[in-house]
Amino acid sequence: MRKRNESVTVEHERAAAPAPLDKGCSLRHSLRLPSASADTGMKRPLGRRHGLWFRLRKLILWLLGLYIAIPFLVKLCPAIQAKLVFLNFVRVPYFIDLKRPQDQGLNHTCNYYLQPEEDVTIGVWHTVPSAIWKNAQGKDQVWFEDALGSSHPVVLYLHGNAGTRGGDHRVELYKVLSSLGYHVVTFDYRGWGDSLGSPSETGMTYDALHVFDWIKARSGDNPVYIWGHSLGTGVATNLVRRLCERETPPDALILESPFTNIREEARSHPFSVATFSSQIYRYFPGFDWFFLDPITSSGIRFANDENVKYISCSLLILHAEDDPVVPFHLGKKLYNIAASSRSFQDYKVQFVPFHTELGYKHKYIYRSPELPRILREFLGKAEHEHHH
């Protein structure tokens, strides 16, 4: 009995003995300690939260630095504002061949290239009235130039910023005007589309003057109307003011979605730094000095409100109430300035609003079924019929 008890005791002691150590004085079997496991579990979420907060704080500091840096960057580099006013580097629609207007459904259109100055070449489209569509098929540039002398009025169209003369809404307007019996001549300013040269307000105005004179040299006594859209209204009033000063005014001026001047427009245009800044820098000290003065210092004014005081020809303003790019109130303000100007006292000045529910926004007024009537009444129904 005693031996048995001793064996039981020995076996019990063996069972209770600690696990042997290896040569490195470490336990051969890993021991799982509950307290150590609990600490690790607590440290992981804490570490994650700490890492997340560190990254968030880094992002906030980076955004704050950017917020402060942008005004100084714009002030030191006025060319940034100029590029964002012109947006000539945005060529939409992409992948179209401007030498082939027929690809855009304009199979009664000819592509030209004119040279206003040395080292400046501008691409021009000339769409003839749809009434002579068949005669235009297969004809060359000489035929199209001669056609300007036919008994049809001519519209010189000056497009806005971004894109090219092949922009979708622009092409649709050419079609509407062609169907109404007008020649439509349009072009890309220097630096736009396939036109060569560097963009500037002075250069754009000179390009327009060159094309106008080119038209007048070929159109005889046919009426020539100037149509400007958006930024093109600034080019249009610059041009017409100059024409009036040299006593060769156009027969009428049409402004679609116009603004008063570029400083007021820059506060609301969705593609300019000034617009971006007007939302998040509204109360930034020296807002005008940082964001608007660089535009002026770049030689960009497009002062429609000043130009209309020196224009002496009929003026039609078209503007949609839901225009998100050029606010409706700017077009209305420009009309009020023109209507009260002495230069227009012998000429017709008309403002045509398009209600919000029509959804014409900034560039779809061409869709209005009322547009043909508006143009005929404004430009003179008798004159329109006489030339047809």
Side-chain angles (χ1 to χ4, degrees):
M1 290 295 291
R2 185 175 180 181
K3 289 181 180 179
R4 182 169 181 172
N5 288 339
E6 287 178 355
S7 65
V8 171
T9 302
V10 171
E11 289 177 2
H12 176 73
E13 289 174 351
R14 285 177 181 172
L21 298 174
D22 59 15
K23 292 181 179 179
C25 296
S26 59
L27 293 176
R28 290 180 182 175
H29 302 285
S30 61
L31 298 178
R32 295 182 180 178
L33 301 177
S35 59
S37 177
D39 288 345
T40 303
M42 291 175 65
K43 286 178 181 177
R44 284 178 182 171
L46 287 173
R48 288 175 183 169
R49 284 197 293 270
H50 177 74
L52 180 62
W53 166 243
F54 177 77
R55 288 193 295 271
L56 182 60
R57 185 173 60 181
K58 188 176 180 180
L59 177 62
I60 292 172
L61 290 174
W62 185 85
L63 291 175
L64 181 62
L66 183 64
Y67 175 80
I68 296 172
I70 283 177
F72 290 95
L73 183 63
V74 170
K75 185 64 179 179
L76 293 172
C77 303
I80 294 175
Q81 281 288 56
K83 285 187 176 294
L84 292 168
V85 168
F86 297 138
L87 285 179
N88 59 300
F89 56 89
V90 178
R91 180 171 173 170
V92 288
Y94 297 99
F95 310 118
I96 69 168
D97 186 353
L98 292 171
K99 296 182 179 66
R100 295 178 52 82
Q102 60 267 30
D103 293 347
Q104 309 307 308
L106 296 172
N107 53 5
H108 52 318
T109 299
C110 186
N111 180 67
Y112 309 147
Y113 290 97
L114 302 179
Q115 191 170 15
E117 296 178 301
E118 189 177 355
D119 299 327
V120 175
T121 303
I122 56 175
V124 182
W125 279 0
H126 171 199
T127 302
V128 298
S130 57
I132 58 174
W133 169 82
K134 288 185 178 179
N135 296 335
Q137 301 307 300
K139 298 299 194 300
D140 60 9
Q141 179 175 336
V142 174
W143 182 91
F144 274 83
E145 290 188 32
D146 291 341
L148 286 169
S150 64
S151 57
H152 297 274
V154 183
V155 174
L156 171 58
Y157 178 78
L158 305 172
H159 68 66
N161 67 352
T164 69
R165 61 191 183 277
D168 293 340
H169 63 284
R170 295 161 186 164
V171 168
E172 293 305 315
L173 179 62
Y174 310 155
K175 293 176 180 178
V176 170
L177 294 175
S178 174
S179 70
L180 296 176
Y182 300 102
H183 289 276
V184 182
V185 177
T186 187
F187 67 96
D188 281 319
Y189 316 105
R190 60 187 70 190
W192 272 261
D194 57 353
S195 296
L196 304 179
S198 299
S200 68
E201 180 176 353
T202 302
M204 295 163 71
T205 303
Y206 189 80
D207 293 344
L209 178 63
H210 181 81
V211 176
F212 177 84
D213 288 341
W214 179 86
I215 292 170
K216 290 296 290 183
R218 292 158 178 78
S219 61
D221 295 330
N222 294 327
V224 178
Y225 309 122
I226 294 175
W227 185 311
H229 173 244
S230 191
L231 189 68
T233 64
V235 182
T237 63
N238 281 347
L239 170 62
V240 176
R241 176 177 176 174
R242 187 165 177 175
L243 293 175
C244 291
E245 288 174 346
R246 76 177 193 184
E247 299 182 353
T248 58
D251 293 274
L253 171 62
I254 301 168
L255 301 178
E256 179 188 357
S257 307
F259 49 85
T260 48
N261 59 71
I262 198 64
R263 288 178 72 98
E264 290 191 5
E265 163 57 9
R267 292 180 178 274
S268 56
H269 197 292
F271 299 114
S272 72
V273 167
T275 301
F276 172 70
S277 60
S278 70
Q279 304 302 320
I280 67 172
Y281 290 98
R282 189 179 299 275
Y283 304 106
F284 194 91
F287 172 81
D288 283 12
W289 188 79
F290 274 112
F291 292 99
L292 300 183
D293 288 354
I295 298 177
T296 306
S297 66
S298 296
I300 303 173
R301 296 181 65 245
F302 292 114
N304 290 335
D305 49 355
E306 286 296 317
N307 288 337
V308 294
K309 298 175 184 178
Y310 300 91
I311 288 175
S312 51
C313 70
S314 297
L315 172 65
L316 172 64
I317 295 178
L318 310 171
H319 213 135
E321 292 178 344
D322 58 338
D323 190 329
V325 177
V326 180
F328 178 78
H329 71 85
L330 290 185
K332 187 68 174 177
K333 182 178 179 180
L334 181 64
Y335 165 74
N336 291 333
I337 294 171
S340 61
S341 173
R342 288 185 177 182
S343 65
F344 284 104
Q345 61 185 1
D346 296 326
Y347 299 94
K348 187 175 183 179
V349 180
Q350 184 177 353
F351 182 85
V352 179
F354 294 87
H355 298 300
T356 300
E357 58 268 20
L358 296 172
Y360 295 153
K361 298 185 181 297
H362 183 60
K363 55 187 181 181
Y364 301 114
I365 288 177
Y366 72 83
R367 295 177 178 174
S368 172
E370 295 297 311
L371 186 59
R373 177 189 60 79
I374 293 168
L375 294 177
R376 285 193 178 102
E377 290 181 359
F378 175 76
L379 298 175
K381 186 174 181 180
E383 181 183 67
H384 182 81
E385 292 176 348
H386 172 72
H387 286 284
H388 282 74

